[in-house]
């Protein structure tokens, strides 16, 4: 028996080295081969003349062929990470069943292939708990989650493939609906955008809700709006992110409700150092603390934009030089201008008025929020001439 096991390990090592030549080291392959052979309980020991069905090397090779046909090296990865499940004598059949089951939940064959390639744990789940993945995708379909969004959930939060639907996912969704006073149809879209929240225990979420409600004074309506806009805020570490960011804004601007601003601004996903650097950039551009304080109240997401980047510096330069605006005054009055596209909105509108409208009315930053039709009407431009000018401008910029 010992000799047979040694022979099996040697044969497996030779096969793996030949198959994955140049992509895996001999040491790694040898380690894997020796890891495999004690677990070969479901395969018969080597015999003098084994049939293909009984030969463990051929059985392993057939599974590697299947997985490597999806993506070269996938077979090795699954064998290495999920050795016991890979070697299960029913694995081949269970993998095929899993693919068929996923197809019945509405996934396309292409999506199923992509899912298996991206998440090798599916090969293990198919052996350990084949019904769980089926229940997951059926549950997501029942929630109105489309195929592309279901795949997004899995790609962002792969552990969901191993999470119990009835015992974990369903109770957490129901809890969020109850605590936030929202319908399931309102909660699910936010969870699709931030599926990691499905891994957060209800007690942790409750601590966030209590802090936002009692500590910051957010109303039930505020909490619902926050969950729609920034579901990650309900998984954030208050002590690590919210409190330091709050203190930073309070130190700079003496904002009475700085914590409320942080929650609504999306700054929880940024570091304190990043926010301090962006404040410094705005100050270097001539804005005072009072300008920034007013701008933040009007547009809480102002500090989420990396204004030091070339893209934003070019936009601000255009405002100063081509539109001749006073930057501190413009940002104070309409801070959302940083979110508008220079190429698709700001530059075409400003230059079109200069070229076609004779400059009878000044173009202001606030006008960038207008619809195109309203902007054209305000400046008395001809619609066809405006469209032709913008088209030529874009062609020149290519």
């Amino acid at each position: 028996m010992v000799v047979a096991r040694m022979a099996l390990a040697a044969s497996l090592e030779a096969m793996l080295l030949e198959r994955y030549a140049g992509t895996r080291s001999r040491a790694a392959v040898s380690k894997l081969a020796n890891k495999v052979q004690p677990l070969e309980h479901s395969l018969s020991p080597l015999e003098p003349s084994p049939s293909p069905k009984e030969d463990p090397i051929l059985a392993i090779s057939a599974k590697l062929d299947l997985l490597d046909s999806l993506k070269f090296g996938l077979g090795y990865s699954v064998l290495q990470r999920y050795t016991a499940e890979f070697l299960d004598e029913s694995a081949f059949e269970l993998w095929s069943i899993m693919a068929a089951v996923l197809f019945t939940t509405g996934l396309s064959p292409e999506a199923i292939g992509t899912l298996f390639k991206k998440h090798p744990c599916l090969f293990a789940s198919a052996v350990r708990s084949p019904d769980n993945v089926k229940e997951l995708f059926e549950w997501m379909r029942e929630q109105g989650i489309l195929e592309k969004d279901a795949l997004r959930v899995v790609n962002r939060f792969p552990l969901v493939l191993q999470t119990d639907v009835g015992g974990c996912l369903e109770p957490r969704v129901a809890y969020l609906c109850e605590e936030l006073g929202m319908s399931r149809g309102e909660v699910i879209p936010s969870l699709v955008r931030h599926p990691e929240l499905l891994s957060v225990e209800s007690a942790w979420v409750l601590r966030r809700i209590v802090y936002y409600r009692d500590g910051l004074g957010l109303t039930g309506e505020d909490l619902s709006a926050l969950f729609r806009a920034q579901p990650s805020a309900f998984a954030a570490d208050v002590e690590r992110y919210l409190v330091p960011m709050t203190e930073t804004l309070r130190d700079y601007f003496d904002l009475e409700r700085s914590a409320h601003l942080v929650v609504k601004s999306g700054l929880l996903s940024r570091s304190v150092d990043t926010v301090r650097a962006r404040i410094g950039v705005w100050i270097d551009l001539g804005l005072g603390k009072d300008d920034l304080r007013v701008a933040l109240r009007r547009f809480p997401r102002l500090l989420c934009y990396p204004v030091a980047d070339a893209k934003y510096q070019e936009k601000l330069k255009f405002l100063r030089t081509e539109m001749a605006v006073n930057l501190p005054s413009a940002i104070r009055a309409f801070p959302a201008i940083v979110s508008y596209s220079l190429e698709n909105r700001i530059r075409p509108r400003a230059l079109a008025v200069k070229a076609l409208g004779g400059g009878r009315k000044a173009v202001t930053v606030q006008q960038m929020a207008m619809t195109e039709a309203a902007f054209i009407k305000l400046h008395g431009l001809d619609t066809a001439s405006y469209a032709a000018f913008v088209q030529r401008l874009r062609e020149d910029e290519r």
Side-chain angles (χ1 to χ4, degrees), residues 139-156:
W139 179 79
M140 287 196 286
R141 186 170 61 176
E142 290 169 2
Q143 309 311 308
I145 300 175
L146 302 176
E147 177 186 300
K148 64 181 180 62
D149 293 327
L151 294 175
R152 183 179 190 277
V153 169
V154 173
N155 291 333
R156 284 283 301 273

Side-chain angles (χ1 to χ4, degrees), residues 49-60:
S49 301
S51 66
K53 190 173 182 179
E54 295 172 331
D55 187 342
I57 300 299
L58 290 181
I60 292 173

Side-chain angles (χ1 to χ4, degrees), residues 200-217:
V200 179
E201 293 183 3
S202 298
W204 177 275
V205 175
L206 178 60
R207 288 198 291 273
R208 312 278 82 68
I209 292 175
V210 170
Y211 182 86
Y212 295 144
R213 185 178 57 211
D214 300 342
L216 306 185

Side-chain angles (χ1 to χ4, degrees), residues 30-169:
S30 180
K31 182 178 179 180
L32 178 57
N34 283 290
K35 175 185 176 184
V36 167
Q37 56 94 8
L39 295 173
E40 273 293 326
H41 53 80
S42 64
L43 298 173
S44 302
L46 288 175
E47 297 176 359
S49 301
S51 66
K53 190 173 182 179
E54 295 172 331
D55 187 342
I57 300 299
L58 290 181
I60 292 173
S61 182
K63 293 176 184 178
L64 292 174
D65 287 340
L66 173 65
L67 273 59
D68 285 345
S69 68
L70 292 174
K71 178 183 176 183
F72 181 73
L74 180 61
Y76 186 94
S77 297
V78 175
L79 176 60
Q80 182 182 45
R81 294 167 61 184
Y82 308 106
T83 308
E85 290 81 4
F86 184 99
L87 297 175
D88 189 283
E89 59 185 5
S90 302
F92 216 118
E93 180 182 1
L94 290 170
W95 295 341
S96 300
I97 292 174
M98 173 69 79
V101 165
L102 289 174
F103 182 74
T104 66
T105 66
L107 291 182
S108 66
E110 294 77 14
I112 293 169
T114 300
L115 199 62
F116 273 102
K117 284 187 285 187
K118 282 191 172 183
H119 305 290
C121 64
L122 266 175
F123 292 99
S125 297
V127 175
R128 292 180 199 152
S129 50
D131 293 334
N132 194 65
V133 176
K134 176 187 177 184
E135 290 175 7
L136 169 66
F137 280 92
E138 287 180 343
W139 179 79
M140 287 196 286
R141 186 170 61 176
E142 290 169 2
Q143 309 311 308
I145 300 175
L146 302 176
E147 177 186 300
K148 64 181 180 62
D149 293 327
L151 294 175
R152 183 179 190 277
V153 169
V154 173
N155 291 333
R156 284 283 301 273
F157 177 46
L159 281 176
V160 74
L161 293 168
Q162 303 171 50
T163 305
D164 180 57
V165 172
C168 184
L169 298 182

Side-chain angles (χ1 to χ4, degrees), residues 325-388:
V325 303
N326 178 283
L327 194 58
S329 297
I331 298 300
R332 181 185 178 114
F334 188 60
I337 188 64
V338 299
S339 67
Y340 287 88
S341 169
L342 175 63
E343 294 77 12
N344 297 323
R345 182 166 295 213
I346 299 174
R347 181 183 283 131
R349 290 189 177 187
L351 296 184
V353 169
K354 279 187 177 182
L356 306 175
R360 289 186 293 274
K361 291 182 181 178
V363 179
T364 66
V365 290
Q366 290 91 332
Q367 290 171 16
M368 297 305 157
M370 301 172 70
T371 65
E372 186 173 277
F375 180 83
I376 290 172
K377 182 178 180 181
L378 175 68
H379 289 279
L381 304 177
D382 176 71
T383 301
S385 299
Y386 178 86

Side-chain angles (χ1 to χ4, degrees), residues 233-247:
F234 291 81
D237 189 320
V238 170
E239 289 73 23
R240 186 177 178 185
Y241 294 106
L242 184 59
V243 173
M245 195 70 75
T246 297
E247 292 175 349

Side-chain angles (χ1 to χ4, degrees), residues 248-269:
T248 295
L249 293 181
R250 188 178 293 131
D251 291 343
Y252 272 98
F253 309 120
D254 301 321
L255 292 170
E256 293 179 4
R257 303 191 71 192
S258 55
H260 192 279
L261 172 64
V262 171
V263 168
K264 290 199 165 186
S265 67
L267 290 177
L268 284 172
S269 60

